[in-house]
Amino acid sequence: MTIQKILQEVFGYGEFLGPQQAIIEHVVAGGDALVLMPTGGGKSLCYQIPAIARQRAGHGITVVISPLIALMHDQVGALHEAGVSAEFLNSTLSMDEAAQVERRLLRGDITLLYAAPERVTTPRFLAQLDSLLERGLLSLFAIDEVHCVSQWGHDFRPEYRALTVLHERYTSVPRVALTATADALTRADILERLQLQDARQFVSSFDRPNIRYTIVEKRDATQQLLRFISNEHRGEAGIVYCQSRKRVENIADLLCDAGIAALPYHAGLDARVRQANQDQFLRSEGIVMVATIAFGMGIDKPDVRFVAHLDMPKNIEGYYQETGRAGRDGAPADAWMCYGLQDVVTQRRMIDESPAGEEFKQGLRGKLDALLGLSEVSDCRRVRLLAYFGEASQPCGNCDNCLQPPTIWDGTDAARKLLSTIYRVQQMSAISFGTGHIMDILRGKKTDKVTQFGHETLSTFGIGAGFSEVQLRGVLRQLIAIDAVNVNAQAFNTLQLNDGARAVLKGEVAVQLRASVSNPVERKARRSASVGSAAAKASAALDDLGQARFVALKTWRAEIAKQHNLPAYVIFHDATLSAIAERAPLSLADLQGISGIGAKKLDAYGQDVLRVMARA
Ligand code: ADP
Ligand code: ZN
C-alpha cells in the first residue's frame, strides 16, 4: 500500500503537508531522520505513516518515545479512532494492563507502542526489544520532543541522554527524531548526543503565518490581560503563561471573577488535579488555562486561539515553543506578551543565582538578551524571530509592529544621564540605590529620601526632567540588557554601573528605543473587523441551514467524545464538521473525500452523521 493511500484511507487527508512526503518516504525506506518542524506542522504523521507502512511490509513494531505520559492516552485514542493498532506503556496502567500490552508487544501485533524514555531504557524493556529484534519485529524508533536531550533546549530531561542505548544496541533499526524547537546550538547537541550525524535532516520553515505576534510594555499587567481576553478572545480557548505558581493561582482566580472560564496548572498541584484540569481544557470548549511552563508540551488541541505571556520567558526558544501552541488548526491566533523592567531583573537574578558555571550563565544571559531585543524592536517581530532560527524573511504584515509601526526615539542622551546619575549617587553616598530613587533624582523630584541624602545637590538632579518615567524605564531595560547597569539582587535590587557603561558614556554605542504605542482602541476596532471567533471562522462560509447542521454535528460529537473519553477534536476537527455541514450529505458516498474522514471513521460514524443531517 502506498503512503498516499495510507494518508487517504487511514487519516482521511488528500495531500501531504510541506515536507511530510519526503520525510515519510525516507523513513519508510529505513533511513534515519532528524525532523525540525514547527508545532502544528504535522510531525505525528511523519512517524505514524512509516510505522503503518513498515508494519504492513513485515518489519514489525514502531516504538515511539515521548516524555508526555499525560497525553499518551489521547494520542493512542486518536490512533484507535483512525483504526490503527497502538498502545502505551506507562505508570498509569495497572500491572495487569501493562502485562497485557507486553504480551501483545512480544507477539509483534501492535503497530505503534508509546513509552516514556525512562521506561524504554529499563533492562526489562530492553530485553523485550532484544527479543523483537531477534525475530525481525523491531521496525523503527521515533524519538519525539528530541530537544529534551539537550541542555540547551528549554526542556532538558536527563532520561533522554540514556537513549544512546538505542543506536548502540540496535544498530540496524532506523530512528526518526522530531522536535519543534532547536536553534543551531540545540540542533548540534541533538546530533552529537544521539549520534545522528548521518541522519538526513529535514528542516521546515518555522514560520506560523496565522499567529499574530504582539508584545506590549507592562503597565498594569492583569488589567492589560483582562482587556486583551475580553476584547479579542471572549469565549475562546487560550493559555496564559505566568512565572510562578502563586501568580498562576491569582490570575486564574482573577479571570474567573471576571467571568472568564479559567483553570490553573502548575507542578505544585496534586497530580490528579493537574490531569483533571488538563483534561477539562482539552475536552471542553473555551477554557483558558493559566499555567507555568510545566504545561503545554505536546498539547495538540488545535483550536487554542491565543497564548499570552504575562511575564517574560527565559529565552526565544521557550517563547516560540509556547506561542506555537496557538492556532494549530491554521486559523488566526494571537501570541501576546507583556513585559517590563521587573521581568528583566528577575530573570537576570535567577541566572546569577543559579549554581551553573559562569560560561553557561553567560550563554543564558545572551539568550535572555535576545528575547529582550525581540521585545524592544521596532521592525517586524516575525523577521526577527525567524532570523533567530536562521531563517530569512520579509516583513510579515501580521505583527504589532507591521500593523502599527512604532516611532523610534534616540535614547542615548537619556542613557548617559541615567548612567551619570547612578555614578554620582554612588560616589556621593558610597552606597547604591534602587530604580525609583534614581528616577526621582533624574526627574528632579524632591522626595524625603532625596533630601535626606542631599541628592538634590547633585549636578544630575533634574537633568532628565524632560523624559517620562516610562521612557526612562525603557532606557534602563536596555542598559541592563547591554550590561551597562547591574541590578544587585543581594542588596535590595540596587543599581550599579557595569562594564558596558563606559562605551555608552563615551558615546560609542547608541541606545535606540521604541516609543510606547498607546492606542489599543484602534487596534481593537481593526481586529474585530478582520477576525471573528474561531467557531465562527470554521463555519463562516455556512448559510443559516448550514450553521444549524454545524451546531447539531458539534452536539453529536461532544456526546461521542464523552463516551470514548477523548477530546472532541480527536473524533473530528471543526473544519471537518464544517465541511460536512456545507455538503449536507445524504449518503455515505457523499461523505467520502471530506478531509479528516478516513475509512475507519466513515465506517464508525458515517451512519450517525447521516442521521444527524436528516434531523438537523
Ligand atoms: P505537530 O506534532 O507537528 O505539532 P500534528 O502532527 O499534531 O503537528 O499535526 C497538526 C495538525 O495537522 C493535526 O490536527 C493533524 O491532524 C493535521 N494534519 C497533519 N497532517 C495533515 C495533512 N497531510 N493534511 C491535513 N491535515 C493534517
Ligand atoms: Zn511583522
Side-chain angles (χ1 to χ4, degrees), residues 7 13 15-17 20 38-45 328 573:
L7 178 72
Y13 296 136
E15 281 163 32
F16 287 106
L17 294 178
Q20 276 179 335
T39 308
K43 279 186 290 301
S44 319
L45 292 194
R328 276 182 177 235
H573 283 186

Side-chain angles (χ1 to χ4, degrees), residues 426-478:
Q426 223 172 335
Q427 245 188 353
M428 178 172 173
S429 305
I431 51 168
S432 330
F433 290 83
T435 311
H437 187 65
I438 299 290
M439 298 280 173
D440 289 342
I441 301 171
L442 252 176
R443 304 186 61 222
K445 284 210 224 154
K446 275 196 191 158
T447 62
D448 290 350
K449 197 165 172 184
V450 167
T451 40
Q452 182 195 341
F453 288 95
H455 287 160
E456 77 280 11
T457 63
L458 286 171
S459 62
T460 56
F461 184 76
I463 57 169
F467 301 110
S468 71
E469 180 158 343
V470 171
Q471 283 178 317
L472 290 175
R473 282 184 178 268
V475 172
L476 187 55
R477 273 199 309 267
Q478 290 285 314

Side-chain angles (χ1 to χ4, degrees), residues 169-230:
R169 192 154 165 156
Y170 310 104
T171 37
S172 61
V173 179
R175 291 173 296 156
V176 49
L178 313 97
T179 177
T181 28
D183 58 3
L185 210 55
T186 311
R187 212 179 296 170
D189 215 15
I190 293 171
L191 293 180
E192 196 194 312
R193 292 278 171 190
L194 294 184
Q195 297 285 300
L196 279 164
Q197 290 93 340
D198 295 332
R200 191 150 149 212
Q201 291 190 38
F202 296 88
V203 182
S204 320
S205 165
F206 269 69
D207 189 19
R208 303 286 311 280
N210 60 314
I211 298 182
R212 173 175 296 181
Y213 298 94
T214 301
I215 302 181
V216 301
E217 242 176 278
K218 215 176 256 190
R219 302 265 162 82
D220 179 347
T222 51
Q223 287 307 315
Q224 287 171 291
L225 176 72
L226 266 180
R227 267 200 306 277
F228 166 70
I229 297 179
S230 312

Side-chain angles (χ1 to χ4, degrees), residues 553 556 560 588 604-615:
L553 284 166
W556 163 79
I560 299 291
L588 287 179
Y605 303 126
Q607 293 298 348
D608 266 19
V609 167
L610 294 179
R611 261 193 301 277
V612 175
M613 288 298 89
R615 270 188 267 118

Side-chain angles (χ1 to χ4, degrees), residues 243-244 312-314 341-356 358 361 364-365 368-369 480 483 485-494:
Q243 210 55 252
S244 70
M312 201 167 85
K314 286 184 180 30
L341 183 56
Q342 193 52 47
D343 290 311
V344 184
V345 171
T346 311
Q347 293 285 7
R348 281 244 159 185
R349 191 181 57 219
M350 291 196 319
I351 296 171
D352 291 343
E353 288 174 354
S354 81
E358 191 45 42
K361 287 184 183 176
L364 296 182
R365 282 189 204 108
L368 174 61
D369 290 348
I480 293 169
D483 271 329
V485 171
N486 175 38
V487 181
N488 188 347
Q490 265 80 49
F492 310 107
N493 289 336
T494 52

